[in-house]
């Protein structure tokens, strides 16, 4: 009977309306907890606070070592309290701590968190795999309910793709490809010039995390990240990555962040993910990355079981909409409204192991000719 149900489900006809109306949002918590922000950098201004304003979360307080930055955001977003030091900011167990600091500062902030608190940590999990492991251990020792803000899988476009996968619109996956040729404004994040690795741990980590949520753990990785003459202050800014999922799945990433749109324009700039399976296919346009931070509209198109390519409705934008999902899942999980924390510390640590496997591969020579 079980197998008959599965076969019947696979044979059920679908329509373009089924594709148009795939799920694109994560449910909000019934009772939203107020948020204390640690950090007032660009990502807080561009994504965290716009997401919370849009979804009705209250940003109750904010701290940044440069107090003027915190005061500016507090005025713009009507945040009640600006803290003068971090110890004053981290005292309350009835809030959620949104820790948006550079990776080199994350461990020291996590050490200060109260026992039994709730926290959303910026990605990546520290400056090394060893720091990630230490963060994971501290979270467990202090009984902190914590997640890492790996938010691509919470974006409306990827929630739609997840729904399509769950409904068997794609079927057994045979292809997963991510391709970028964009002009990323690296100057917006000045701390990057001090890092030994940039592209994979700060950007491609999102794709690696999403791919893991779709395909599971890769068997091995191949990675090469390189510099660019116009961005010599960065250790790297372009990557080619292959994730090994055996002989039946091709999974690759081609990531160029140095397409000079001032010279060439946007005509052939592109940013997309592509999935193919035995039942259907999906094409995801990362509109945000085209002319970032202004961006273009995101798009998800799916073709399945004879239904021609159809656009999904209400796919919103990666920034800020995905940040609504990361905070919602964390708050709902903390009070038992969600059974699973998709971006848990343990799952995020597994993403970090793949990231550092990529960095190890990048440091090793290829097969000589």
């Amino acid at each position: 009977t079980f197998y008959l149900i599965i076969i019947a489900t696979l044979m059920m006809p679908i329509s373009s309306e089924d594709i148009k109306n795939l799920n694109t949002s994560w449910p909000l918590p019934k009772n939203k907890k107020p948020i204390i922000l640690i950090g007032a950098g660009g990502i807080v201004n561009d994504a965290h606070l716009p997401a919370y304003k849009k979804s009705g979360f209250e940003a109750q307080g904010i701290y940044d070592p440069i107090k003027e930055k915190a005061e500016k955001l507090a005025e713009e977003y009507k945040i009640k309290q600006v803290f003068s030091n971090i110890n004053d900011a981290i005292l309350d167990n009835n809030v959620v701590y949104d820790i948006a600091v550079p990776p080199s500062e994350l461990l020291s902030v996590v050490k200060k968190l109260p026992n039994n608190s709730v926290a959303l940590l910026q990605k990546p999990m520290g400056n090394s795999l060893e720091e990630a492991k230490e963060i994971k251990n501290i979270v467990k020792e202090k009984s902190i309910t914590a997640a890492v803000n790996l938010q691509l899988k919470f974006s409306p476009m990827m929630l739609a793709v997840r729904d399509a996968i769950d409904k068997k619109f794609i079927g057994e996956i045979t292809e997963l490809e991510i391709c970028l040729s964009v002009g990323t404004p690296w100057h917006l994040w000045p701390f990057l010039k001090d890092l030994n690795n940039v592209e994979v741990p700060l950007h491609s980590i999102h794709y690696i995390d999403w791919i893991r949520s779709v395909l599971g753990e890769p068997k091995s990785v191949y990675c090469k990240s390189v510099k660019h003459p116009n961005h010599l202050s960065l250790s790297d800014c372009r990557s080619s990555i292959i994730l090994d999922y055996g002989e039946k799945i091709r999974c690759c990433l081609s990531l160029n962040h140095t397409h000079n749109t001032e010279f060439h324009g946007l005509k052939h700039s592109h940013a997309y993910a592509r999935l193919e399976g035995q039942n259907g296919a999906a094409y995801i346009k990362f509109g945000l990355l085209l002319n970032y931070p202004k961006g273009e509209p995101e798009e998800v198109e799916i073709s399945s079981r004879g239904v021609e390519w159809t656009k999904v409705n209400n796919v919103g934008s990666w920034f800020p909409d995905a940040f609504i999902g990361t905070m919602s899942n964390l708050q709902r999980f903390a009070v038992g409204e969600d059974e699973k924390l998709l971006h848990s510390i343990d799952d995020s640590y597994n993403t970090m192991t793949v990231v550092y496997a990529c960095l190890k591969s990048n440091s090793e020579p290829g097969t000589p000719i």
Side-chain angles (χ1 to χ4, degrees):
T1 302
F2 172 78
Y3 292 107
L4 290 175
I5 292 172
I6 295 296
I7 292 169
T9 300
L10 292 174
M11 293 179 65
M12 285 177 62
I14 69 167
S15 69
S16 60
E17 291 300 311
D18 294 322
I19 294 173
K20 288 178 182 178
N21 296 309
L22 287 165
N23 175 57
T24 59
S25 64
W26 197 273
L28 295 168
K30 293 176 183 175
N31 297 295
K32 303 183 185 78
K33 283 191 171 187
I35 298 165
I36 300 290
L37 291 127
I38 309 298
I43 193 65
V44 173
N45 183 53
D46 294 341
H48 293 243
L49 286 170
Y52 302 153
K53 181 178 179 180
K54 182 175 182 178
S55 54
F57 286 105
E58 178 195 1
Q60 181 174 285
I62 187 168
Y63 165 78
D64 192 276
I66 304 173
K67 194 174 182 181
E68 293 77 13
K69 290 169 62 178
E71 289 173 336
K72 182 179 178 182
L73 290 182
E75 182 178 357
E76 183 177 352
Y77 288 96
K78 297 179 172 58
I79 300 171
K80 295 176 183 176
Q81 188 167 8
V82 176
F83 296 98
S84 297
N85 67 75
I86 192 169
N87 293 325
D88 290 341
I90 305 180
L91 291 173
D92 192 348
N93 265 9
N94 295 313
V95 300
V96 174
Y97 294 104
D98 184 355
I99 301 169
V101 298
S104 59
E105 305 301 319
L106 187 60
L107 177 59
S108 65
V109 177
V110 171
K111 287 178 178 179
K112 297 177 185 291
L113 287 173
N115 292 351
N116 305 303
S117 56
V118 180
L120 182 62
L121 314 182
Q122 182 61 292
K123 59 80 188 155
M125 275 176 73
N127 234 10
S128 66
L129 194 57
E130 291 73 24
E131 283 192 8
K133 189 173 184 179
E134 189 173 354
I135 288 168
K136 182 174 75 164
N137 291 338
I138 291 169
V139 163
K140 292 182 183 299
E141 289 166 6
K142 290 189 166 190
S143 298
I144 297 168
T145 302
V148 178
N149 210 337
L150 290 163
Q151 78 291 125
L152 177 57
K153 57 179 174 268
F154 289 94
S155 66
M157 52 189 171
M158 292 313 190
L159 290 176
V161 172
R162 167 49 59 190
D163 196 21
I165 291 170
D166 290 344
K167 290 176 176 173
K168 312 299 182 186
F169 291 1
I170 307 298
E172 182 183 351
I173 294 170
T174 57
E175 285 269 328
L176 196 159
E177 177 184 30
I178 293 174
C179 192
L180 308 182
S181 185
V182 297
T184 299
W186 295 109
H187 64 276
L188 295 178
W189 306 281
F191 71 89
L192 297 179
K193 68 181 185 299
D194 299 323
L195 301 182
N196 294 328
N197 306 99
V198 173
E199 202 288 322
V200 175
L202 272 297
H203 187 88
S204 284
I205 186 172
H206 288 299
Y207 308 129
I208 290 168
D209 183 69
W210 173 66
I211 290 167
R212 285 187 54 254
S213 75
V214 173
L215 296 178
E217 307 299 338
K219 296 180 178 180
S220 60
V221 302
Y222 307 85
C223 175
K224 182 65 178 177
S225 296
V226 297
K227 289 179 175 287
H228 190 278
N230 294 343
H231 301 277
L232 292 177
S233 64
L234 299 179
S235 61
D236 58 75
C237 51
R238 297 172 288 166
S239 298
S240 299
I241 303 169
I242 296 173
L243 301 182
D244 179 8
Y245 283 96
E247 296 182 356
K248 293 184 178 180
I249 298 173
R250 189 181 76 100
C251 181
C252 60
L253 302 88
S254 178
L255 309 157
N256 170 28
H257 294 269
T258 59
H259 181 74
N260 193 329
T261 54
E262 290 184 8
F263 286 179
H264 312 305
L266 291 170
K267 181 177 179 180
H268 290 299
S269 184
H270 56 262
Y272 66 81
R274 185 180 60 83
L275 270 174
E276 289 187 16
Q278 296 288 63
N279 294 343
Y283 180 91
I284 303 104
K285 174 187 169 184
F286 297 115
L288 173 74
L289 303 183
L290 300 168
N291 196 26
Y292 182 90
K294 183 179 179 181
E296 295 182 4
E298 317 272 35
E299 293 179 5
V300 178
E301 292 185 84
I302 292 174
S303 172
S304 178
R305 300 187 213 155
V307 178
E308 62 183 18
W309 287 101
T310 302
K311 286 186 180 180
V312 179
N313 293 332
N314 303 316
V315 294
S317 180
W318 181 351
F319 288 18
D321 294 341
F323 291 73
I324 299 172
T326 52
M327 180 56 72
S328 294
N329 184 207
L330 174 60
Q331 291 208 18
R332 286 172 59 88
F333 179 80
V335 297
E337 292 174 8
D338 280 348
E339 292 184 5
K340 187 173 182 181
L341 188 59
L342 266 63
H343 49 330
S344 70
I345 288 293
D346 286 339
D347 189 78
S348 300
Y349 180 79
N350 290 342
T351 291
M352 290 290 286
T353 64
V354 180
V355 165
Y356 277 91
C358 287
L359 300 185
K360 184 174 186 295
S361 173
N362 181 55
S363 68
E364 295 175 348
T367 303
I369 297 173

